[in-house]
Amino acid sequence: MPKNTPDAIVKKLNGAMVQAMHTDVVTDKLGALGAEIVPDNQTSPEFLAKLVKDETEKWAQPIKASGVSVD
């Protein structure tokens, strides 16, 4: 979502996503692809924001050092 999206909208969309992930249709489809649904404690907007921040910090230097660029 765009930066500064209101918290109420983030929480509403997140709740809908989590609810959809727990339907039989989605779990069966993802299971057939070899994917697993993450535990509920890893689906909050706060958890996901921290994950993105941490992963960006973790990989920034190796990516820069590799010389890879995006066109």
Side-chain angles (χ1 to χ4, degrees):
M1 284 182 249
K3 188 175 183 176
N4 299 322
T5 299
D7 287 343
I9 293 172
V10 171
K11 289 180 191 239
K12 184 173 184 173
L13 292 173
N14 177 261
M17 181 222 28
V18 171
Q19 186 176 9
M21 286 189 332
H22 289 294
T23 64
D24 291 340
V25 172
V26 173
T27 56
D28 291 348
K29 189 70 157 178
L30 290 174
L33 297 170
E36 297 178 18
I37 302 295
V38 298
D40 285 342
N41 67 341
Q42 294 179 10
T43 61
S44 72
E46 297 80 14
F47 179 89
L48 296 171
K50 183 176 181 335
L51 178 67
V52 169
K53 179 181 177 288
D54 292 349
E55 289 296 300
T56 300
E57 290 173 1
K58 174 182 172 181
W59 292 105
Q61 185 58 36
I63 291 170
K64 286 178 186 174
S66 76
V68 171
S69 65
V70 178
D71 293 329

